[in-house]
Amino acid sequence: MASLINALPGAVAQGLIWGIMAIGVYLTYRILDVADLTVDGSLCTGGAVCIMLMLNGQNVWVAMFGALLAGMAAGLATGILHTFMGIPAILAGILTQLGLYSVNLKIMGKANQAINVDKYPLLVSLRFIKGVPFFKNTIFIVAIIIMVLILFLYWFFGTELGCSLRATGCNDKMARAQGINTDFARVLGLMISNGLVAFSGALLGQYQGFSDINMGRGAIVIGLAAVIIGEAIFGKVFHNFGFRLLGVALGSIVYYLVLQVVIWLGVDTDLLKLLSALVVAIFLATPTWKSRYFKKGFGNIKQIKRFLLLFSRLNGRAL
């Protein structure tokens, strides 16, 4: 039990970092209604750009801003493939993700690039979890970043441009009839989403002390898990758009806390991806199960009650 308690702060910190990525996934999956698989590549792109810029002497904030721009460029590529070239969104994301593998290798020069927290002024690190001042603690710093990010997104999606993105996701044809350039809205939404994913990758690269070519593999599953878990747990409580984004970030923390408990219970770590996929599948299937089985079940119960009531009246008795 002591080992589990000691591991929980690290799980919370990692959950917060992945929570930024989950917010990016939420923007495409829920707001734009687009299945974007670019994130598996853009997460690694953000980490690679950030680490390489810092290794070449750039400030941590400049490096993270460069990662943000690189992620937006990846989103732009997916958006152009989808809108200008007419490729379905899911295939456009796969093509961009595939191309980013080579791009990321070229950025790093090899499959893995490490950065030493003792030699470079990292913003977050695994070593900044315990025994450091609160203003340097990774959990505190990432929590502040998420709050600022949520406030910015809440403001942006309340503007005319942000509302056009939401309208495009809600009803593409109606938005186009209102004079909204839906292709531009989709491209912009993909750029914002992948920019956030790459920003998360920059923080993740610093946190773990290296950037790896495979660090983004399965990121879409983790992002979807955070979105679905956040909606399932906090959906009935958080109705405001800003609080929904907060719920997604909290869902990411819950996901990593559950993973930590699973590891503590001794489950084979090779099965974690499979467990993640099963969790996402179950949560995605829950609405269908409710409408298809449970409502019918309740309807059958009501019909039985009506039949019994009618039968009792015909026999002159009352239930």
Side-chain angles (χ1 to χ4, degrees):
M1 181 60 73
S3 61
L4 175 62
I5 295 175
N6 290 331
L8 290 182
V12 172
Q14 199 167 358
L16 284 170
I17 292 173
W18 282 90
I20 298 175
M21 187 275 300
I23 291 175
V25 173
Y26 179 86
L27 295 182
T28 52
Y29 181 65
R30 289 301 191 201
I31 304 300
L32 279 182
D33 194 23
V34 171
D36 180 30
L37 298 182
T38 313
V39 296
D40 280 22
S42 57
L43 183 85
C44 179
T45 301
V49 170
C50 179
I51 297 301
M52 294 307 298
L53 285 176
M54 292 193 70
L55 290 176
N56 284 278
Q58 294 296 329
N59 179 276
V60 63
W61 294 105
V62 174
M64 291 175 65
F65 183 68
L68 176 69
L69 293 179
M72 294 182 72
L76 176 63
T78 301
I80 290 175
L81 289 173
H82 175 47
T83 58
F84 181 72
M85 300 182 69
I87 300 173
I90 190 168
L91 294 179
I94 292 173
L95 290 174
T96 306
Q97 175 196 140
L98 182 65
L100 284 176
Y101 187 90
S102 298
V103 172
N104 295 336
L105 279 175
K106 282 296 183 181
I107 292 173
M108 293 189 290
K110 55 182 181 178
N112 185 292
Q113 283 285 359
I115 190 167
N116 194 326
V117 66
D118 295 323
K119 296 181 180 179
Y120 296 90
L122 304 182
L123 183 65
V124 297
S125 173
L126 181 60
R127 289 167 57 179
F128 295 163
I129 298 295
K130 298 177 182 178
V132 295
F134 79 94
F135 57 85
K136 199 175 180 180
N137 188 284
T138 296
I139 296 175
F140 175 77
I141 291 175
V142 181
I144 294 297
I145 292 174
I146 286 179
M147 294 307 298
V148 173
L149 176 63
I150 289 175
L151 289 174
F152 171 76
L153 291 175
Y154 183 79
W155 167 80
F156 173 76
F157 280 98
T159 63
E160 183 177 350
L161 182 58
C163 288
S164 68
L165 267 69
R166 298 170 72 175
T168 300
C170 288
N171 192 320
D172 177 84
K173 293 180 180 179
M174 182 63 72
R176 196 180 299 113
Q178 296 298 320
I180 296 174
N181 188 337
T182 55
D183 287 343
F184 173 77
R186 284 198 187 91
V187 173
L188 180 60
L190 288 167
M191 289 177 65
I192 295 173
S193 171
N194 284 280
L196 293 177
V197 172
F199 188 81
S200 174
L203 289 172
L204 182 62
Q206 294 178 61
Y207 177 79
Q208 61 190 14
F210 65 90
S211 177
D212 185 82
I213 192 65
N214 293 316
M215 66 185 288
R217 181 174 294 177
I220 186 64
V221 176
I222 298 175
L224 286 174
V227 171
I228 301 303
I229 291 172
E231 289 180 340
I233 297 176
F234 306 104
K236 293 184 179 180
V237 180
F238 296 159
H239 300 290
N240 180 275
F241 176 71
F243 283 110
R244 286 182 180 178
L245 295 179
L246 177 61
V248 171
L250 294 177
S252 179
I253 296 175
V254 172
Y255 172 81
Y256 269 94
L257 289 176
V258 171
L259 281 188
Q260 199 61 54
V261 172
V262 168
I263 293 172
W264 176 72
L265 291 174
V267 176
D268 187 358
T269 54
D270 292 340
L271 300 176
L272 290 181
K273 295 291 185 182
L274 175 61
L275 291 174
S276 301
L278 290 175
V279 168
V280 174
I282 290 171
F283 275 100
L284 287 173
T286 300
T288 302
W289 289 347
K290 285 182 178 179
S291 61
R292 184 175 296 176
Y293 302 112
F294 291 99
K295 286 186 178 180
K296 285 184 178 181
F298 292 137
N300 291 335
I301 292 173
K302 290 180 180 179
Q303 290 178 3
I304 292 172
K305 286 183 176 179
R306 287 181 188 144
F307 175 78
L308 291 174
L309 180 61
L310 178 61
F311 182 78
S312 64
R313 286 177 178 175
L314 289 174
N315 287 274
R317 296 194 306 267
L319 288 177

